[in-house]
Amino acid sequence: MSGFGSQFAPIVIRADFIDGSWSRPLAVASDKLELHPASHVLHYASSCFEGLKAFRRADGAVHLFRPDMHIQRLQNSARHLCLPVPDAEMVMAMLKQVVTDQMALIPEFPGALYLRPLLYASDVNIGSAGHASNNAVLLVMASPVGDYFGGQDKTLRLMIETEHARTTSDFGQVKSGGNYAAALQHIVRARRDHQCDQVLFCPAGDVQETGAANFFLLHDDTLITKHLDGSILPGVTRDSLLQVAADLGLQVAQRQLTVTELLHKAPHSEAFLSGTAAVITAVGTLISDGQMVVVGDGGVGGTTRKLRETLLAIQSGNGTDHRDWLVDCGHG
Ligand SMILES: Cc1ncc(COP(=O)(O)O)c(C=O)c1O
């Protein structure tokens, strides 16, 4: 299977917001989208998206992982962007529809069907920068993704960026393309100039998150990650890991972490990133002001592995889903 996110189901499920209400969602061809060049979204970045997975269990049962949380986050993003907020029931039905239509495309675990809801403003008016769009489109795309865990012994090299923020103190919670666009130049520079895999955004020394994942430090059996204050994305994997960590007997601390504390603790800690795509990816090295700091022994820590295995067991159906995180989509 080719790289993550480059192969698509032949259909998307689409609903249009016109004259104050949503049309009935329909399956349409996934490889074409008609968009007037004056569409609000193309000029004023009025769009948001989500990313979640449907997993196939060994017995053929297919489940979505925590779709309710992803739908709430999509609704929150829509509110921040003055986009029409889609009903949770409609989005859930669209997610289930694309999964049941495309059952045959879902790879064996740990592969999955990655679902990408996309909401954008479609008013045709380039004079409307200061107005909410009256029309919008919601699409749910589906992309079969392979085993992200072939590289589970890989560790990342992160560049600590203290001068530039990823986004604003309030918009980090919004999953919108503008945030990724704002962060990109820093990520490209870190890769080019410092051979880093990603940037850890720490404006004014406040350790926030990377360009596309939440950040965790594990020190003395305490799992530390930034509290949700609007500046970072409330990751679904982040929330799941905090609960799984407590089950495993770890202390969890959602609080401010400074770069000074991070660099001081890193040599005696584990660190990792969390997100839907890879669940957990260990951090081996931090680059700060041109200096290299190795996290622990530079490899994947034992607790990092344990957390990943525990969450994967729930997603695969091999572990107990006692919090009802899996939502049934039938068999196939
Ligand atoms: C900026 C950012 N932070 C965190 C995450 C992790 O979120 P989740 O665990 O819901 O995939 C993502 C990925 O979607 C992201 O793009």
Side-chain angles (χ1 to χ4, degrees):
M1 192 173 296
S2 45
F4 186 92
S6 57
Q7 190 189 336
F8 296 98
I11 54 116
V12 297
I13 310 298
R14 172 174 178 152
D16 287 60
F17 188 80
I18 305 167
D19 294 334
S21 59
W22 289 97
S23 65
R24 195 166 64 83
L26 290 175
V28 298
S30 67
D31 61 348
K32 274 181 219 71
L33 185 64
E34 275 193 12
L35 211 52
H36 191 288
S39 295
H40 200 279
V41 59
L42 292 180
H43 301 264
Y44 307 121
S46 41
S47 76
C48 54
F49 62 96
E50 268 306 316
L52 67 159
K53 282 178 173 172
F55 295 102
R56 184 198 296 284
R57 237 170 38 190
D59 66 0
V62 172
H63 294 96
L64 287 165
F65 185 68
R66 305 194 72 182
D68 40 350
M69 247 194 124
H70 286 279
I71 293 171
Q72 278 170 24
R73 194 168 66 185
L74 181 71
Q75 292 177 318
N76 184 50
S77 296
R79 271 183 218 108
H80 276 79
L81 290 155
C82 302
L83 285 162
V85 179
D87 304 333
E89 300 72 40
M90 181 182 79
V91 185
M92 184 69 92
M94 291 170 79
L95 294 171
K96 287 187 173 175
Q97 189 179 343
V98 77
V99 171
T100 39
D101 274 11
Q102 300 300 316
M103 276 296 181
L105 271 189
I106 308 177
E108 292 307 312
F109 193 89
L113 192 65
Y114 179 81
L115 304 181
R116 170 57 66 97
L118 171 68
L119 173 63
Y120 63 87
S122 54
D123 269 9
V124 174
N125 182 355
I126 54 172
S128 63
H131 296 274
S133 178
N134 292 317
N135 297 284
V137 177
L138 175 62
L139 303 171
V140 179
M141 304 157 68
S143 171
V145 293
D147 175 7
Y148 225 91
F149 309 103
Q152 63 176 268
D153 287 326
K154 177 179 161 55
T155 59
L156 300 177
R157 178 177 160 99
L158 301 188
M159 165 94 187
I160 294 190
E161 169 64 67
T162 52
E163 266 180 50
H164 301 283
R166 173 178 174 262
T167 171
T168 71
S169 56
D170 179 45
F171 239 64
Q173 64 185 293
V174 180
K175 200 162 168 62
S176 185
N179 287 341
Y180 299 82
L184 186 56
Q185 59 176 318
H186 307 299
I187 300 167
V188 167
R189 198 175 49 242
R191 198 175 291 131
R192 186 192 61 210
D193 296 347
H194 301 276
Q195 296 73 52
C196 287
D197 300 290
Q198 254 296 351
V199 171
L200 182 58
F201 287 94
C202 310
D206 175 33
V207 178
Q208 296 188 335
E209 62 176 333
T210 65
N214 293 116
F215 178 80
F216 287 83
L217 180 73
L218 180 84
H219 184 79
D220 275 352
D221 286 342
T222 301
L223 192 57
I224 307 166
T225 196
K226 184 171 172 63
H227 56 291
L228 300 179
D229 63 355
S231 68
I232 61 166
L233 197 76
V236 176
T237 319
R238 171 191 178 281
D239 182 82
S240 308
L241 288 171
L242 287 170
Q243 297 188 53
V244 163
D247 292 348
L248 294 177
L250 298 172
Q251 302 294 313
V252 295
Q254 299 182 64
R255 64 162 171 87
Q256 189 179 41
L257 174 67
T258 63
V259 170
T260 310
E261 181 183 353
L262 171 61
L263 295 177
H264 177 70
K265 291 192 165 144
H268 320 286
S269 299
E270 298 179 26
F272 58 84
L273 303 185
S274 77
T276 294
V279 181
I280 286 180
T281 312
V283 175
T285 314
L286 301 168
I287 306 295
S288 173
D289 282 334
Q291 302 293 310
M292 187 171 111
V293 175
V294 176
V295 181
D297 64 4
V300 183
T303 307
T304 301
R305 277 183 207 280
K306 182 78 196 152
L307 283 165
R308 174 165 50 205
E309 280 161 17
T310 311
L311 191 53
L312 285 177
I314 297 171
Q315 293 178 333
S316 67
N318 291 329
T320 314
D321 175 29
H322 57 83
R323 293 189 180 87
D324 292 332
W325 283 345
L326 299 178
V327 171
D328 185 20
C329 288
H331 265 72

